[in-house]
Amino acid sequence: MVTSRDVAKVAGVSQATVSRVINRHATVDPTIRTRVLAAMESTGYVLNVSAKAMRTQSAGAIGVVTSEIQNPFLPYLLDALTRAASRRSLTLVVWNDDDPDAPNAREGLASRVVDGIIFTAATTASVGMHDLIRQGRPVVLCNRAAQDIDIDVVMSDHYGSGQASARYLLGNGHTSIAAIFGPDRTYASPARQAGFRQVLDEAGIPLLHSSVVDGQTSYEAGHAGAMQMLDSGERPDAIFCSSDIIAFGALDAFRSRGVRVPDDLWVCGVDGLPMAAWSAFDLTTQQQDVEAIAEASLDRLLERVGGTTEHVEHLLIPTGLVVRGSTEHMPWPV
Amino acid sequence: MVTSRDVAKVAGVSQATVSRVINRHATVDPTIRTRVLAAMESTGYVLNVSAKAMRTQSAGAIGVVTSEIQNPFLPYLLDALTRAASRRSLTLVVWNDDDPDAPNAREGLASRVVDGIIFTAATTASVGMHDLIRQGRPVVLCNRAAQDIDIDVVMSDHYGSGQASARYLLGNGHTSIAAIFGPDRTYASPARQAGFRQVLDEAGIPLLHSSVVDGQTSYEAGHAGAMQMLDSGERPDAIFCSSDIIAFGALDAFRSRGVRVPDDLWVCGVDGLPMAAWSAFDLTTQQQDVEAIAEASLDRLLERVGGTTEHVEHLLIPTGLVVRGSTEHMPWPV
DNA sequence: CTGAAAGCGCTTACAG
DNA sequence: CTGAAAGCGCTTACAG
């Protein structure tokens, strides 16, 4: 393996000078710099990251904690984070939080595998996470918040997306409205629910029928929720689903029962999954801005890592309404 | 930060002994071991991974190269790999190959960020990968193979899944058969196509109508392929789609044109995505065994890293037929 | 602007 | 069974 010492020998300089060239110190003579760069090239030198990490006490990597791959939004977030990390020349380490016995992010941070951690796990914080935060280690919550701990958060404006959905339905003249909300133990679902309810309350419009998913947000849960609504005898003219995936299940339930969408019933979701554009669903939804979430999460985390920030910040990324055939007859059906 | 030297001081032993306890050397006196463990506990010691990595010349991490998040199978594979890595106390580093300017896996391997790399990227190998393999670095291809290079491969039996699909249709009396195949530039699609065709050829059954996706495997491509088939005037009684996602698009196309599935037409896919079970699709498919793929990929890579293997291996993981309503009327419809 | 040297925190021969 | 010491490959004060 080629080391900086080998490069130094070839270039006829000291190893320290090679290091200075690598780290772009301005103090290196241009001629020497060129010679060193040529030597690096000819020897095929590559920096040993472990050595640098040990010396500088920083890993050059950040960790992402995920869970519930069933959440179809997660891959898009993970993908965006991967690219955002690449842009910053950071290595992205991924942990799955579902396995309690696994070497976890906590250990990863403690053992200096990563400099900081982005938590994307949907459900409530683990004990390990609380410890990390209490120790003041760099941690950012991504697309969720914590109830009992003061910590940096970057997330979609879940509450606002619920509000916007309600305003959209009300603004289009709907007054008999139902809803299927995601599970209470996540952060996003109750927030969307609260936002949705707030606007309805303010307008004095009651929620005709609603259900809350028990268990995981899923197609099946949406299907069941819709069936339950149909069986209840209530006949709303619009239904809000707090996740796209719930809406997919609901749409299929309605289809199987002969409920025409959007003629009999408007359906809208939240998330903006690519699948929402499929003609099977053609779902009106509140689109989350994954790129913005990923960028802001990483920026915030790096500020924490760099210690350039004091105060805790809660950053809300707006969602955007995408209107499709599940709520309005589109001029150009796909 | 607590180091092994601090622990040694507390335990009243040398730093070397602490290291031996950490690495479970059998030669440590039980009494001393207990004392050291207690000291580690009381000081809150955590091993510095960078230091260990530098000293042992190994990273304790392996890299995964992904691309095309649009491929809905990928998250499941990535999830399985994450868990498989956890079980082995390995850190999993993820790179996205779509970003050409990003610090890539090649650099990651060269700079000792990872000890080996699993390539899951669907499309043909990059130049960088070829270099790595030529250098004899530990690389395993996961769920794909390379045409022009001899390298370890762990993948679903794509060819076999095509064959099995054909046999399933023929075995159920279908003789007028169509197909929509995924793009040629991937590995899996042509392999599935070849397997499917081989069985039909052997049975002397011609393929009524077929199309190959141009561009990425997608719902839209499946939709378009199905429309094209309908417009061709051919009326097969079964259609094979070489990916579930293609089948989803096709199913919706058929639905929109009033083709009844499975009454008029059987539809089957390959992949075994969870979505295939949704009642919107209820798709018969060849299920890939993600867990087995992930386990075998990691095992194989670790053999390479450890240098305990000489010969190149191609491991095929069988797929399993899952029969649903898109091909047969099920006794208990969901 | 450059070099010699210290030291980051480990592991592991080498003595004892 | 244990300790003193070398050394993994870097970065960065400190001299010059």
Side-chain angles (χ1 to χ4, degrees), chain B residues 10-91:
Chain B
V10 172
V13 297
S14 75
Q15 183 268 331
T17 296
V18 174
S19 185
R20 288 196 186 96
V21 171
I22 292 167
N23 293 288
R24 304 171 197 289
H25 286 208
T27 59
V28 180
D29 182 285
T31 320
I32 292 191
R33 174 192 302 280
T34 311
R35 220 160 70 214
V36 170
L37 288 172
M40 284 169 60
E41 182 70 34
S42 72
T43 53
Y45 171 76
V46 182
L47 181 81
N48 183 317
V49 179
S50 297
K52 173 170 190 163
M54 178 161 71
R55 184 56 236 236
T56 60
Q57 303 279 44
S58 88
I62 69 127
V64 176
V65 177
T66 68
S67 71
E68 304 190 21
I69 189 70
Q70 295 80 10
N71 175 355
F73 183 71
L74 193 58
Y76 299 97
L77 183 56
L78 198 57
D79 187 56
L81 283 168
T82 307
R83 281 180 281 107
S86 282
R87 267 176 237 122
R88 293 164 179 77
S89 295
L90 287 170
T91 296

Side-chain angles (χ1 to χ4, degrees), chain A residues 114-128:
Chain A
V114 295
D115 297 321
I117 288 181
I118 294 177
F119 269 84
T120 69
T123 47
T124 310
S126 63
V127 178

Side-chain angles (χ1 to χ4, degrees), chain B residues 14 46 50 76 109 114 126 140 182 197 207 221 240 272 312:
Chain B
S14 75
V46 182
S50 297
Y76 299 97
L109 195 46
V114 295
S126 63
V140 169
R197 285 184 184 276
L207 200 50
F240 170 68
V312 167

Side-chain angles (χ1 to χ4, degrees), chain B residues 252-314:
Chain B
D252 282 337
F254 296 142
R255 184 169 11 226
S256 74
R257 288 288 191 91
V259 177
R260 293 170 310 154
V261 174
D263 310 72
D264 302 333
L265 182 66
W266 282 28
V267 178
C268 57
V270 182
D271 272 341
L273 300 178
M275 276 184 283
W278 292 4
S279 64
F281 306 122
D282 198 19
L283 178 71
T284 293
T285 185
Q286 292 284 336
Q287 183 113 30
Q288 296 195 61
D289 188 347
V290 239
E291 292 296 327
I293 295 171
E295 284 290 325
S297 297
L298 227 49
D299 282 342
R300 189 62 197 165
L301 185 64
L302 292 179
E303 285 175 34
R304 277 268 163 248
V305 170
T308 59
T309 188
E310 281 299 311
H311 63 289
V312 167
E313 208 169 80
H314 284 215

Side-chain angles (χ1 to χ4, degrees), chain A residues 1 47 49-51 53-54 69 75 79 82 86 91-94 96 102-103 111-113 219 245 252 275 278-280, chain B residues 1 46-47 49-51 53-54 69 75 79 82 86 91-94 96 102-103 111-113 219 245 252 275 278-280:
Chain A
M1 194 173 127
L47 181 81
V49 180
S50 297
M54 178 160 70
I69 190 69
D79 187 57
T82 307
S86 282
T91 297
L92 200 77
V93 171
V94 177
N96 189 312
S111 60
R112 312 275 158 169
V113 169
Y219 174 91
I245 202 103
D252 282 337
M275 277 184 281
W278 292 4
S279 64
Chain B
M1 193 173 128
V46 182
L47 181 81
V49 179
S50 297
M54 178 161 71
I69 189 70
D79 187 56
T82 307
S86 282
T91 296
L92 201 77
V93 171
V94 177
N96 189 313
S111 60
R112 312 276 159 168
V113 170
Y219 174 92
I245 202 105
D252 282 337
M275 276 184 283
W278 292 4
S279 64

